[in-house]
Amino acid sequence: MRRCGPSERWYTIDSEQYKNTRNHMGQKREIIDAAKPKMEKAFAHFEEEIAAVKAGKASPNVLNGVLVESYGSQMPVNQVASVTVPDARTILIQPWDKGLLGALEKAIVNSNLGMTPSNNGETIRLNVPPLTEERRKDLMKQIKAEAESARVSIRNVRREAIEAIKKAIKADGLPEDVAKDGEEEVQKIVDGYSKRIDEVLGAKEKEIMTV
């Protein structure tokens, strides 16, 4: 029976170490990759909520969430009509089927948008009222609350990822240095989303205060 020489034994050990390192790195990457889409989902929800805030300026986003009864189904406005903004205070809705004008008008009224639809038999016109100082303050509170909610959701995902990393240290022998790198990478991703939240929030604050 042939025995391994010293150089062959070292080669075997190095190969095992390399294999273990690859496994540990892959485990770290798997945890981080699982966290990313959860953070992105929280950020995307925040963007949607912010876009739907009526800041006193005409925008098609004002109609986000308004559903219209169309042939037995509840449809978003932008799927049954074209929505345009002729000027800063006006939203114009032109249904592709004029038979939906009544349903569109009813849906807008029932959505409590704070705007009275004007139906001329061809299109529906919405006039966006200017913001009062009190309303501006309420909107500022609302968007800041949405931003904080997004930050909390993303921090919760970070906590889950770090807990998974710590669990891997105990259960699977994940090296401390690999775990630390993983935690730092997760924090960098969180910092990136925090910056993006601040940017979206800042733009919306400016929109509210300058209208």
Side-chain angles (χ1 to χ4, degrees):
M1 180 177 179
R2 180 177 175 275
R3 294 183 178 180
C4 294
S7 62
E8 292 175 296
R9 286 197 297 273
W10 278 110
Y11 178 79
T12 302
I13 293 171
D14 287 345
S15 296
E16 286 299 318
Q17 289 176 339
Y18 176 71
K19 182 179 178 181
N20 289 336
T21 298
R22 285 192 62 185
N23 289 341
H24 290 145
M25 295 299 289
Q27 191 173 18
K28 180 193 77 172
R29 177 54 47 199
E30 183 178 326
I31 292 170
I32 293 171
D33 287 348
K36 284 181 179 179
K38 295 178 182 178
M39 293 186 189
E40 181 60 31
K41 183 178 179 180
F43 177 74
H45 177 73
F46 164 69
E47 281 192 308
E48 290 174 3
E49 292 298 314
I50 290 295
V53 171
K54 301 183 290 294
K57 183 178 180 180
S59 168
N61 291 328
V62 168
L63 297 170
N64 287 355
V66 178
L67 298 177
V68 183
E69 179 73 26
S70 175
Y71 305 107
S73 300
Q74 294 291 318
M75 304 289 288
V77 174
N78 62 7
Q79 291 189 18
V80 297
S82 67
V83 181
T84 56
V85 180
D87 57 62
R89 295 291 182 191
T90 307
I91 299 173
L92 193 64
I93 306 166
Q94 184 167 14
W96 296 316
D97 179 353
K98 291 181 183 179
L100 292 176
L101 275 168
L104 277 163
E105 187 174 5
K106 181 180 178 181
I108 292 167
V109 170
N110 291 340
S111 296
N112 297 317
L113 295 177
M115 294 177 282
T116 302
S118 175
N119 182 350
N120 65 6
E122 297 285 337
T123 62
I124 291 176
R125 185 178 296 269
L126 298 176
N127 293 317
V128 181
L131 292 177
T132 63
E133 188 62 28
E134 183 179 357
R135 181 57 178 159
R136 290 178 199 272
K137 290 178 181 179
D138 288 342
L139 290 177
M140 292 292 280
K141 290 179 182 178
Q142 180 182 343
I143 63 173
K144 287 179 179 178
E146 291 290 351
E148 183 57 26
S149 178
R151 292 190 186 101
V152 169
S153 295
I154 289 171
R155 287 198 297 266
N156 286 341
V157 177
R158 176 190 62 187
R159 187 186 68 248
E160 291 173 2
I162 290 176
E163 286 176 353
I165 289 172
K166 289 180 177 179
K167 183 178 179 181
I169 294 175
K170 296 179 180 179
D172 305 316
L174 187 71
E176 293 282 351
D177 59 334
V178 175
K180 184 178 179 181
D181 288 344
E183 290 181 17
E184 289 177 354
E185 187 172 346
V186 170
Q187 185 58 52
K188 286 180 181 178
I189 297 170
V190 171
D191 291 343
Y193 277 110
S194 181
K195 182 178 179 181
R196 291 170 67 186
I197 289 171
D198 288 342
E199 289 171 352
V200 172
L201 179 62
K204 195 67 175 185
E205 287 178 334
K206 184 178 180 181
E207 180 184 341
I208 291 171
M209 298 308 295
T210 57
V211 169

